[in-house]
PDB file of all heavy atoms in Angstrom:
ATOM      1  N   VAL A 712       4.423 -23.290 -13.011  1.00 97.00           N
ATOM      2  CA  VAL A 712       3.716 -22.413 -12.116  1.00 97.00           C
ATOM      3  C   VAL A 712       2.380 -22.047 -12.777  1.00 97.00           C
ATOM      4  O   VAL A 712       1.273 -22.142 -12.071  1.00 97.00           O
ATOM      5  CB  VAL A 712       4.451 -21.152 -11.810  1.00 97.00           C
ATOM      6  CG1 VAL A 712       3.672 -20.189 -10.963  1.00 97.00           C
ATOM      7  CG2 VAL A 712       5.728 -21.454 -11.073  1.00 97.00           C
ATOM      8  N   ILE A 713       2.289 -21.758 -14.037  1.00 97.00           N
ATOM      9  CA  ILE A 713       1.110 -21.297 -14.731  1.00 97.00           C
ATOM     10  C   ILE A 713       0.102 -22.511 -14.877  1.00 97.00           C
ATOM     11  O   ILE A 713      -0.993 -22.407 -14.730  1.00 97.00           O
ATOM     12  CB  ILE A 713       1.429 -20.850 -16.129  1.00 97.00           C
ATOM     13  CG1 ILE A 713       2.177 -19.471 -15.985  1.00 97.00           C
ATOM     14  CG2 ILE A 713       0.256 -20.563 -17.022  1.00 97.00           C
ATOM     15  CD1 ILE A 713       2.781 -19.000 -17.390  1.00 97.00           C
ATOM     16  N   SER A 714       0.639 -23.705 -15.148  1.00 97.00           N
ATOM     17  CA  SER A 714      -0.207 -24.888 -15.214  1.00 97.00           C
ATOM     18  C   SER A 714      -0.940 -25.105 -14.038  1.00 97.00           C
ATOM     19  O   SER A 714      -2.032 -25.848 -14.029  1.00 97.00           O
ATOM     20  CB  SER A 714       0.606 -26.069 -15.621  1.00 97.00           C
ATOM     21  OG  SER A 714       1.438 -26.476 -14.646  1.00 97.00           O
ATOM     22  N   LYS A 715      -0.523 -24.860 -12.895  1.00 96.00           N
ATOM     23  CA  LYS A 715      -1.198 -25.022 -11.514  1.00 96.00           C
ATOM     24  C   LYS A 715      -2.143 -24.045 -11.112  1.00 96.00           C
ATOM     25  O   LYS A 715      -2.824 -24.200 -10.173  1.00 96.00           O
ATOM     26  CB  LYS A 715      -0.107 -25.129 -10.487  1.00 96.00           C
ATOM     27  CG  LYS A 715       0.856 -26.320 -10.534  1.00 96.00           C
ATOM     28  CD  LYS A 715       1.905 -26.405  -9.450  1.00 96.00           C
ATOM     29  CE  LYS A 715       2.810 -27.631  -9.644  1.00 96.00           C
ATOM     30  NZ  LYS A 715       3.918 -27.621  -8.713  1.00 96.00           N
ATOM     31  N   ILE A 716      -2.328 -22.968 -11.857  1.00 96.00           N
ATOM     32  CA  ILE A 716      -3.278 -21.840 -11.676  1.00 96.00           C
ATOM     33  C   ILE A 716      -4.685 -22.440 -12.105  1.00 96.00           C
ATOM     34  O   ILE A 716      -4.864 -22.644 -13.365  1.00 96.00           O
ATOM     35  CB  ILE A 716      -2.976 -20.609 -12.377  1.00 96.00           C
ATOM     36  CG1 ILE A 716      -1.694 -20.079 -11.868  1.00 96.00           C
ATOM     37  CG2 ILE A 716      -4.009 -19.535 -11.840  1.00 96.00           C
ATOM     38  CD1 ILE A 716      -1.117 -18.806 -12.610  1.00 96.00           C
ATOM     39  N   GLU A 717      -5.647 -22.738 -11.222  1.00 93.00           N
ATOM     40  CA  GLU A 717      -6.760 -23.390 -11.594  1.00 93.00           C
ATOM     41  C   GLU A 717      -7.750 -22.316 -12.187  1.00 93.00           C
ATOM     42  O   GLU A 717      -8.278 -22.463 -13.222  1.00 93.00           O
ATOM     43  CB  GLU A 717      -7.417 -24.055 -10.512  1.00 93.00           C
ATOM     44  CG  GLU A 717      -6.661 -25.267 -10.029  1.00 93.00           C
ATOM     45  CD  GLU A 717      -7.422 -26.092  -8.832  1.00 93.00           C
ATOM     46  OE1 GLU A 717      -8.524 -25.728  -8.573  1.00 93.00           O
ATOM     47  OE2 GLU A 717      -6.705 -27.017  -8.445  1.00 93.00           O
ATOM     48  N   ASP A 718      -8.019 -21.287 -11.437  1.00 95.00           N
ATOM     49  CA  ASP A 718      -8.869 -20.164 -11.905  1.00 95.00           C
ATOM     50  C   ASP A 718      -8.027 -19.123 -12.679  1.00 95.00           C
ATOM     51  O   ASP A 718      -7.550 -18.233 -11.982  1.00 95.00           O
ATOM     52  CB  ASP A 718      -9.732 -19.558 -10.800  1.00 95.00           C
ATOM     53  CG  ASP A 718     -10.866 -18.739 -11.291  1.00 95.00           C
ATOM     54  OD1 ASP A 718     -11.028 -18.495 -12.606  1.00 95.00           O
ATOM     55  OD2 ASP A 718     -11.397 -17.970 -10.494  1.00 95.00           O
ATOM     56  N   PHE A 719      -7.943 -19.199 -13.988  1.00 96.00           N
ATOM     57  CA  PHE A 719      -6.976 -18.343 -14.725  1.00 96.00           C
ATOM     58  C   PHE A 719      -7.633 -16.947 -14.851  1.00 96.00           C
ATOM     59  O   PHE A 719      -7.808 -16.458 -15.999  1.00 96.00           O
ATOM     60  CB  PHE A 719      -6.777 -19.022 -16.073  1.00 96.00           C
ATOM     61  CG  PHE A 719      -5.366 -18.625 -16.643  1.00 96.00           C
ATOM     62  CD1 PHE A 719      -4.118 -19.026 -15.943  1.00 96.00           C
ATOM     63  CD2 PHE A 719      -5.177 -17.931 -17.872  1.00 96.00           C
ATOM     64  CE1 PHE A 719      -2.922 -18.657 -16.536  1.00 96.00           C
ATOM     65  CE2 PHE A 719      -3.971 -17.596 -18.398  1.00 96.00           C
ATOM     66  CZ  PHE A 719      -2.777 -17.997 -17.707  1.00 96.00           C
ATOM     67  N   THR A 720      -7.514 -16.174 -13.850  1.00 96.00           N
ATOM     68  CA  THR A 720      -8.032 -14.759 -13.859  1.00 96.00           C
ATOM     69  C   THR A 720      -6.770 -13.816 -13.842  1.00 96.00           C
ATOM     70  O   THR A 720      -5.622 -14.259 -13.455  1.00 96.00           O
ATOM     71  CB  THR A 720      -8.993 -14.408 -12.672  1.00 96.00           C
ATOM     72  OG1 THR A 720      -8.234 -14.621 -11.492  1.00 96.00           O
ATOM     73  CG2 THR A 720     -10.139 -15.334 -12.765  1.00 96.00           C
ATOM     74  N   ILE A 721      -6.957 -12.603 -14.123  1.00 96.00           N
ATOM     75  CA  ILE A 721      -5.853 -11.621 -13.995  1.00 96.00           C
ATOM     76  C   ILE A 721      -5.296 -11.584 -12.569  1.00 96.00           C
ATOM     77  O   ILE A 721      -4.083 -11.623 -12.376  1.00 96.00           O
ATOM     78  CB  ILE A 721      -6.340 -10.210 -14.366  1.00 96.00           C
ATOM     79  CG1 ILE A 721      -6.608 -10.210 -15.898  1.00 96.00           C
ATOM     80  CG2 ILE A 721      -5.268  -9.232 -14.062  1.00 96.00           C
ATOM     81  CD1 ILE A 721      -7.124  -8.838 -16.377  1.00 96.00           C
ATOM     82  N   GLU A 722      -6.177 -11.507 -11.624  1.00 96.00           N
ATOM     83  CA  GLU A 722      -5.807 -11.485 -10.217  1.00 96.00           C
ATOM     84  C   GLU A 722      -4.973 -12.684  -9.787  1.00 96.00           C
ATOM     85  O   GLU A 722      -3.933 -12.552  -9.238  1.00 96.00           O
ATOM     86  CB  GLU A 722      -7.010 -11.392  -9.443  1.00 96.00           C
ATOM     87  CG  GLU A 722      -6.634 -11.052  -7.792  1.00 96.00           C
ATOM     88  CD  GLU A 722      -7.882 -10.912  -6.965  1.00 96.00           C
ATOM     89  OE1 GLU A 722      -9.016 -11.222  -7.394  1.00 96.00           O
ATOM     90  OE2 GLU A 722      -7.689 -10.563  -5.755  1.00 96.00           O
ATOM     91  N   ASN A 723      -5.560 -13.821 -10.092  1.00 96.00           N
ATOM     92  CA  ASN A 723      -4.795 -15.150  -9.788  1.00 96.00           C
ATOM     93  C   ASN A 723      -3.351 -15.183 -10.321  1.00 96.00           C
ATOM     94  O   ASN A 723      -2.422 -15.626  -9.812  1.00 96.00           O
ATOM     95  CB  ASN A 723      -5.615 -16.236 -10.019  1.00 96.00           C
ATOM     96  CG  ASN A 723      -6.790 -16.423  -9.177  1.00 96.00           C
ATOM     97  OD1 ASN A 723      -6.846 -15.728  -8.110  1.00 96.00           O
ATOM     98  ND2 ASN A 723      -7.872 -17.170  -9.478  1.00 96.00           N
ATOM     99  N   THR A 724      -3.411 -15.053 -11.703  1.00 97.00           N
ATOM    100  CA  THR A 724      -2.025 -15.140 -12.403  1.00 97.00           C
ATOM    101  C   THR A 724      -1.013 -14.070 -11.724  1.00 97.00           C
ATOM    102  O   THR A 724       0.092 -14.530 -11.648  1.00 97.00           O
ATOM    103  CB  THR A 724      -2.294 -14.812 -14.003  1.00 97.00           C
ATOM    104  OG1 THR A 724      -2.909 -13.622 -14.073  1.00 97.00           O
ATOM    105  CG2 THR A 724      -2.910 -15.967 -14.612  1.00 97.00           C
ATOM    106  N   GLN A 725      -1.455 -12.841 -11.520  1.00 96.00           N
ATOM    107  CA  GLN A 725      -0.641 -11.948 -10.838  1.00 96.00           C
ATOM    108  C   GLN A 725      -0.034 -12.424  -9.582  1.00 96.00           C
ATOM    109  O   GLN A 725       1.160 -12.370  -9.363  1.00 96.00           O
ATOM    110  CB  GLN A 725      -1.266 -10.615 -10.704  1.00 96.00           C
ATOM    111  CG  GLN A 725      -1.310  -9.679 -11.924  1.00 96.00           C
ATOM    112  CD  GLN A 725      -1.905  -8.305 -11.531  1.00 96.00           C
ATOM    113  OE1 GLN A 725      -2.805  -8.245 -10.721  1.00 96.00           O
ATOM    114  NE2 GLN A 725      -1.350  -7.276 -12.128  1.00 96.00           N
ATOM    115  N   ILE A 726      -0.994 -12.912  -8.675  1.00 96.00           N
ATOM    116  CA  ILE A 726      -0.571 -13.305  -7.398  1.00 96.00           C
ATOM    117  C   ILE A 726       0.493 -14.592  -7.438  1.00 96.00           C
ATOM    118  O   ILE A 726       1.497 -14.474  -6.831  1.00 96.00           O
ATOM    119  CB  ILE A 726      -1.756 -13.655  -6.526  1.00 96.00           C
ATOM    120  CG1 ILE A 726      -2.648 -12.454  -6.155  1.00 96.00           C
ATOM    121  CG2 ILE A 726      -1.398 -14.439  -5.266  1.00 96.00           C
ATOM    122  CD1 ILE A 726      -3.984 -12.830  -5.631  1.00 96.00           C
ATOM    123  N   ASP A 727       0.122 -15.486  -8.286  1.00 96.00           N
ATOM    124  CA  ASP A 727       1.033 -16.666  -8.377  1.00 96.00           C
ATOM    125  C   ASP A 727       2.305 -16.432  -9.069  1.00 96.00           C
ATOM    126  O   ASP A 727       3.353 -16.982  -8.576  1.00 96.00           O
ATOM    127  CB  ASP A 727       0.208 -17.857  -9.023  1.00 96.00           C
ATOM    128  CG  ASP A 727      -0.899 -18.508  -8.200  1.00 96.00           C
ATOM    129  OD1 ASP A 727      -1.330 -17.741  -7.200  1.00 96.00           O
ATOM    130  OD2 ASP A 727      -1.431 -19.621  -8.521  1.00 96.00           O
ATOM    131  N   ILE A 728       2.246 -15.751 -10.092  1.00 97.00           N
ATOM    132  CA  ILE A 728       3.535 -15.439 -10.897  1.00 97.00           C
ATOM    133  C   ILE A 728       4.494 -14.529 -10.079  1.00 97.00           C
ATOM    134  O   ILE A 728       5.686 -14.756  -9.838  1.00 97.00           O
ATOM    135  CB  ILE A 728       3.368 -15.078 -12.256  1.00 97.00           C
ATOM    136  CG1 ILE A 728       2.597 -16.136 -13.077  1.00 97.00           C
ATOM    137  CG2 ILE A 728       4.659 -14.438 -12.929  1.00 97.00           C
ATOM    138  CD1 ILE A 728       2.233 -15.698 -14.524  1.00 97.00           C
ATOM    139  N   LYS A 729       3.887 -13.441  -9.563  1.00 96.00           N
ATOM    140  CA  LYS A 729       4.680 -12.495  -8.760  1.00 96.00           C
ATOM    141  C   LYS A 729       5.220 -13.114  -7.476  1.00 96.00           C
ATOM    142  O   LYS A 729       6.207 -12.875  -7.015  1.00 96.00           O
ATOM    143  CB  LYS A 729       3.878 -11.197  -8.532  1.00 96.00           C
ATOM    144  CG  LYS A 729       3.714 -10.379  -9.777  1.00 96.00           C
ATOM    145  CD  LYS A 729       3.001  -9.048  -9.398  1.00 96.00           C
ATOM    146  CE  LYS A 729       2.909  -8.242 -10.629  1.00 96.00           C
ATOM    147  NZ  LYS A 729       2.158  -6.980 -10.473  1.00 96.00           N
ATOM    148  N   GLY A 730       4.433 -13.960  -6.910  1.00 96.00           N
ATOM    149  CA  GLY A 730       4.691 -14.706  -5.594  1.00 96.00           C
ATOM    150  C   GLY A 730       5.923 -15.649  -6.032  1.00 96.00           C
ATOM    151  O   GLY A 730       6.927 -15.633  -5.221  1.00 96.00           O
ATOM    152  N   TRP A 731       5.863 -16.329  -7.054  1.00 96.00           N
ATOM    153  CA  TRP A 731       7.012 -17.259  -7.442  1.00 96.00           C
ATOM    154  C   TRP A 731       8.251 -16.446  -7.690  1.00 96.00           C
ATOM    155  O   TRP A 731       9.298 -16.835  -7.332  1.00 96.00           O
ATOM    156  CB  TRP A 731       6.505 -18.024  -8.783  1.00 96.00           C
ATOM    157  CG  TRP A 731       7.521 -18.882  -9.327  1.00 96.00           C
ATOM    158  CD1 TRP A 731       8.229 -19.924  -8.841  1.00 96.00           C
ATOM    159  CD2 TRP A 731       8.356 -18.497 -10.502  1.00 96.00           C
ATOM    160  NE1 TRP A 731       9.287 -20.412  -9.696  1.00 96.00           N
ATOM    161  CE2 TRP A 731       9.265 -19.518 -10.765  1.00 96.00           C
ATOM    162  CE3 TRP A 731       8.174 -17.534 -11.514  1.00 96.00           C
ATOM    163  CZ2 TRP A 731      10.116 -19.439 -11.873  1.00 96.00           C
ATOM    164  CZ3 TRP A 731       8.883 -17.502 -12.642  1.00 96.00           C
ATOM    165  CH2 TRP A 731       9.918 -18.478 -12.874  1.00 96.00           C
ATOM    166  N   ILE A 732       8.154 -15.398  -8.433  1.00 96.00           N
ATOM    167  CA  ILE A 732       9.297 -14.522  -8.630  1.00 96.00           C
ATOM    168  C   ILE A 732       9.983 -13.987  -7.375  1.00 96.00           C
ATOM    169  O   ILE A 732      11.275 -14.081  -7.185  1.00 96.00           O
ATOM    170  CB  ILE A 732       9.054 -13.349  -9.666  1.00 96.00           C
ATOM    171  CG1 ILE A 732       8.642 -13.837 -10.963  1.00 96.00           C
ATOM    172  CG2 ILE A 732      10.271 -12.392  -9.705  1.00 96.00           C
ATOM    173  CD1 ILE A 732       7.955 -12.784 -11.870  1.00 96.00           C
ATOM    174  N   THR A 733       9.208 -13.581  -6.452  1.00 96.00           N
ATOM    175  CA  THR A 733       9.614 -13.028  -5.104  1.00 96.00           C
ATOM    176  C   THR A 733      10.277 -14.041  -4.328  1.00 96.00           C
ATOM    177  O   THR A 733      11.284 -14.008  -3.717  1.00 96.00           O
ATOM    178  CB  THR A 733       8.449 -12.425  -4.409  1.00 96.00           C
ATOM    179  OG1 THR A 733       7.872 -11.432  -5.191  1.00 96.00           O
ATOM    180  CG2 THR A 733       8.863 -11.904  -3.076  1.00 96.00           C
ATOM    181  N   ALA A 734       9.699 -15.229  -4.317  1.00 95.00           N
ATOM    182  CA  ALA A 734      10.225 -16.469  -3.599  1.00 95.00           C
ATOM    183  C   ALA A 734      11.591 -16.921  -4.108  1.00 95.00           C
ATOM    184  O   ALA A 734      12.502 -17.359  -3.380  1.00 95.00           O
ATOM    185  CB  ALA A 734       9.249 -17.561  -3.675  1.00 95.00           C
ATOM    186  N   LYS A 735      11.814 -16.795  -5.503  1.00 92.00           N
ATOM    187  CA  LYS A 735      13.096 -17.115  -6.050  1.00 92.00           C
ATOM    188  C   LYS A 735      14.086 -16.003  -5.862  1.00 92.00           C
ATOM    189  O   LYS A 735      15.322 -16.314  -6.221  1.00 92.00           O
ATOM    190  CB  LYS A 735      12.854 -17.520  -7.567  1.00 92.00           C
ATOM    191  CG  LYS A 735      12.184 -18.658  -7.822  1.00 92.00           C
ATOM    192  CD  LYS A 735      12.200 -19.162  -9.288  1.00 92.00           C
ATOM    193  CE  LYS A 735      13.542 -19.618  -9.760  1.00 92.00           C
ATOM    194  NZ  LYS A 735      13.933 -20.923  -9.230  1.00 92.00           N
ATOM    195  N   GLU A 736      13.730 -14.947  -5.360  1.00 92.00           N
ATOM    196  CA  GLU A 736      14.577 -13.840  -5.125  1.00 92.00           C
ATOM    197  C   GLU A 736      15.335 -13.405  -6.387  1.00 92.00           C
ATOM    198  O   GLU A 736      16.606 -13.209  -6.386  1.00 92.00           O
ATOM    199  CB  GLU A 736      15.588 -14.061  -3.976  1.00 92.00           C
ATOM    200  CG  GLU A 736      14.861 -14.381  -2.657  1.00 92.00           C
ATOM    201  CD  GLU A 736      15.805 -14.656  -1.548  1.00 92.00           C
ATOM    202  OE1 GLU A 736      17.067 -14.962  -1.690  1.00 92.00           O
ATOM    203  OE2 GLU A 736      15.387 -14.463  -0.350  1.00 92.00           O
TER     204      GLU A 736
END
């Protein structure tokens, strides 16, 4: 998940990682 984040900002990492956790329930 982290390797696919292109613009490694605080906002982007939060959105992608939290989104992934939520999706995995």
Side-chain angles (χ1 to χ4, degrees):
V712 174
I713 292 171
S714 67
K715 292 177 180 177
I716 304 171
E717 292 186 6
D718 188 8
F719 204 67
T720 63
I721 291 175
E722 186 180 8
N723 288 345
T724 53
Q725 276 187 323
I726 291 170
D727 287 17
I728 291 173
K729 287 182 177 180
W731 170 71
I732 294 171
T733 302
K735 286 190 75 69
E736 297 183 343

